[in-house]
Amino acid sequence: MAVEASTKRPRGSQYLDTDANFAPAVKRRSGAFGLSSSLINVELLCQIQNQQQLEIDRFVAQQTEKLKIDIEARQRTQTRMLASAVQNAIAKKVKEKDDEIVRIRNINLVLQERVKSLYVENQIWRDIAQSNEEHANNLRTNLDQVLAQMETLQTVATAVEDDAESSCGSWVEGGEAIRAVSSGCKRCGEREGSVLVLPCRHLCLCTVCGSASLRTCPVCGSVMNASVHVNMSS
């Protein structure tokens, strides 16, 4: 009995033992609940972070797309402006070249007209020079003929003076006789012969016929190269 009495525990002590056993269990349960809450909070935080990251990525993508569109629009605008500037510069250069071509064409026309004028002027001066040359040649020929006639006259005059004292019917010039024909003109037969035909030395033409353009002597038919008017008065 004593032993049984000793083994019995007071009712209060049972409650104390129950409380003592319950406290660790509560602690374990609260610890597990706290751990579970921590895991939930971490998962929720990860979801929030993921959601924020998605929103940030979406915002960045939208801003990037908007910036890309803006850059492309600016590039197109700059390209159009550059193309317009290049076209204006090319049009300006083309206009300058066209103006230069027109100016060169006008200068070419002026030069062509000047060349034509110089050609005509050169032709005129050439014709004048040729005419002057022909005139000079004619004058030279006439002068030679006049000098030849003067020499012939001088020779005839000398011969006439030398032979004026002789009474024969002929005169001598340089040892050659001047063949006197009948006193009448052998061309017209009306006037007295007073023109000496050279080189045959026939005194057979009057003054009028001797001034005509005769080529041959009317007496012997030889070619005339000159004629001399002889003064037959005493």
Side-chain angles (χ1 to χ4, degrees), residues 95-137:
K95 186 176 183 302
E96 291 178 355
K97 293 298 181 181
D98 291 338
D99 294 339
E100 186 176 358
I101 290 172
V102 172
R103 183 176 61 83
I104 293 174
R105 186 181 293 114
N106 293 331
I107 293 174
N108 191 17
L109 292 176
V110 172
L111 291 176
Q112 288 179 357
E113 293 296 330
R114 181 59 178 168
V115 168
K116 290 180 181 178
S117 177
L118 290 175
Y119 178 77
V120 173
E121 185 177 356
N122 186 22
Q123 189 67 31
I124 291 173
W125 281 110
R126 185 181 298 172
D127 295 339
I128 292 174
Q130 186 175 0
S131 177
N132 291 333
E133 185 177 0
E134 292 178 356
H135 186 62
N137 291 331

Side-chain angles (χ1 to χ4, degrees), residues 87-226:
Q87 288 179 356
N88 293 331
I90 292 174
K92 184 177 180 181
K93 290 293 183 181
V94 170
K95 186 176 183 302
E96 291 178 355
K97 293 298 181 181
D98 291 338
D99 294 339
E100 186 176 358
I101 290 172
V102 172
R103 183 176 61 83
I104 293 174
R105 186 181 293 114
N106 293 331
I107 293 174
N108 191 17
L109 292 176
V110 172
L111 291 176
Q112 288 179 357
E113 293 296 330
R114 181 59 178 168
V115 168
K116 290 180 181 178
S117 177
L118 290 175
Y119 178 77
V120 173
E121 185 177 356
N122 186 22
Q123 189 67 31
I124 291 173
W125 281 110
R126 185 181 298 172
D127 295 339
I128 292 174
Q130 186 175 0
S131 177
N132 291 333
E133 185 177 0
E134 292 178 356
H135 186 62
N137 291 331
N138 292 331
L139 291 177
R140 189 179 296 109
T141 302
N142 294 332
L143 180 60
D144 292 338
Q145 291 179 357
V146 170
L147 291 176
Q149 290 180 0
M150 290 179 64
E151 291 178 358
T152 303
L153 288 174
Q154 185 176 3
T155 302
V156 172
T158 303
V160 170
E161 290 177 358
D162 292 339
D163 297 339
E165 296 178 355
S166 63
S167 59
C168 61
S170 61
W171 297 271
V172 178
E173 179 188 6
E176 295 182 1
I178 299 175
R179 292 181 289 275
V181 192
S182 61
S183 60
C185 177
K186 295 301 180 181
R187 186 170 183 270
C188 64
E190 296 178 358
R191 288 174 290 274
E192 182 181 2
S194 60
V195 175
L196 182 66
V197 178
L198 298 175
C200 63
R201 302 179 185 278
H202 284 121
L203 187 64
C204 58
L205 295 176
C206 64
T207 305
V208 177
C209 295
S211 300
S213 57
L214 295 177
R215 298 296 182 183
T216 59
C217 176
V219 176
C220 63
S222 61
V223 179
M224 295 173 53
N225 58 12

